[in-house]
Amino acid sequence: MNTTCPHCKSPQSFSREQQAKINQALSKLPPGGALKLKCPKCSGIIDLGKAAPATAPAPAQPPPAGQGTAATVQPPPPPPLDWLSDGEMIDSGKVEDVPMALVLWPAGENRDSIEKTLKTLGYQLLCTDNLQEAQERMRFVRFACIVYQAEMHGGLEASPFHAAMCAMSMEHRRHIFYILTGDSLHTLYDLEALAVSANLTVRSKDIPKLHVVLRKAFQAHEELFGPFLEELGIHSKS
């Protein structure tokens, strides 16, 4: 086997015994797997992939009549929510260091349910349906969680509050868990949340089960962004 280190460009040579061991390890790799070796010269990592069997290219299919060559990409569907009816979710513990939450929602039963859930998770709350009050408080309070009713203020496209959230500097935005709720949204649909610049979307009818939804969402958020935010904190102190 002849290979070259991609880092220092030095050729690699293997003894017959080493070659046999490498071939044996490569044969056990799953499709797409790679065997990692360290270059003895620069200590860089060399990836040796399992050679895929040669296959004849599939003949190109002409596009249907009346259509161009560009295919329409369909997004994946929202996740199944059957488990919500059970109301069960392993609680990995209360979210730490999140003293304040803003609930910008019309007064009523749903807002009461949101308030009760967030208090259970340890938040101090500001609940209001007044846009000016919410914007004024955000100037002086660093909220860790914001719950916003997406149909308020003319919908997301016309909402000055949502526009301000989207335009917020990442230095502050990354520390806010932004939840959008509404009749047209889909609960725990990550792709939808990404499209509307939120951390979580919740359909209005699922608000009574918000405590279960948030435990799952917070756990996933911590697993995904926890190490990144911790690293940012380390560098900001250095």
Side-chain angles (χ1 to χ4, degrees), residues 25-26 28-37 45-51:
L26 288 174
K28 296 179 180 179
L29 287 176
L35 181 64
K36 297 184 181 297
L37 302 178
I45 300 300
I46 304 172
D47 289 333
L48 296 180
K50 183 178 181 180

Side-chain angles (χ1 to χ4, degrees), residues 98-103 111-128 137 141 143 145-147:
V98 282
M100 291 295 297
L102 169 65
V103 180
R111 194 174 86 177
D112 292 343
S113 180
I114 294 171
E115 181 179 353
K116 180 180 178 181
T117 298
L118 292 178
K119 281 184 176 179
T120 301
L121 292 173
Y123 287 93
Q124 301 177 52
L125 299 181
L126 169 64
C127 297
T128 182
R137 292 298 295 271
V141 179
F143 291 101
C145 179
I146 295 177
V147 185

Side-chain angles (χ1 to χ4, degrees), residues 11-223:
Q12 307 294 307
S13 60
F14 306 98
S15 66
R16 183 174 299 178
E17 183 179 352
Q18 290 173 328
Q19 181 65 64
K21 291 182 178 179
I22 291 174
N23 289 339
Q24 184 179 9
L26 288 174
S27 66
K28 296 179 180 179
L29 287 176
L35 181 64
K36 297 184 181 297
L37 302 178
K38 181 180 290 188
C39 175
K41 183 175 181 181
C42 70
S43 297
I45 300 300
I46 304 172
D47 289 333
L48 296 180
K50 183 178 181 180
T55 57
Q61 297 293 329
Q67 296 185 8
T69 56
T72 301
V73 178
Q74 295 295 330
L81 297 175
D82 299 339
W83 55 271
L84 261 181
S85 60
D86 300 329
E88 295 182 359
M89 172 65 195
I90 297 176
D91 187 359
S92 59
K94 186 183 298 183
V95 181
E96 301 295 338
D97 301 324
V98 282
M100 291 295 297
L102 169 65
V103 180
L104 187 50
W105 242 88
E109 184 178 348
N110 275 337
R111 194 174 86 177
D112 292 343
S113 180
I114 294 171
E115 181 179 353
K116 180 180 178 181
T117 298
L118 292 178
K119 281 184 176 179
T120 301
L121 292 173
Y123 287 93
Q124 301 177 52
L125 299 181
L126 169 64
C127 297
T128 182
D129 58 1
N130 186 289
L131 175 61
Q132 287 71 32
E133 180 185 3
Q135 291 176 323
E136 183 67 18
R137 292 298 295 271
M138 287 186 66
R139 292 176 55 194
F140 304 103
V141 179
R142 178 163 292 187
F143 291 101
C145 179
I146 295 177
V147 185
Y148 181 53
Q149 215 277 353
E151 279 85 27
M152 295 180 72
H153 313 120
L156 293 181
E157 293 185 359
S159 168
F161 183 84
H162 183 65
M165 289 297 299
C166 293
M168 184 181 294
S169 69
M170 190 52 61
E171 179 183 359
H172 296 110
R173 175 64 182 86
R174 67 167 62 100
H175 298 289
I176 298 175
F177 196 87
Y178 185 35
I179 305 169
L180 288 175
T181 61
D183 296 334
S184 62
L185 299 174
H186 301 84
T187 301
L188 290 169
Y189 191 13
D190 292 338
L191 190 61
E192 181 177 59
L194 180 64
V196 293
S197 300
N199 296 97
L200 174 67
T201 53
V202 180
R203 190 183 287 269
S204 297
K205 71 179 183 65
D206 293 326
I207 287 178
K209 301 183 180 72
L210 186 62
H211 62 292
V212 184
V213 173
L214 284 184
R215 284 172 182 163
K216 181 175 178 63
F218 285 152
Q219 182 176 328
H221 183 266
E222 177 63 24
E223 291 173 355

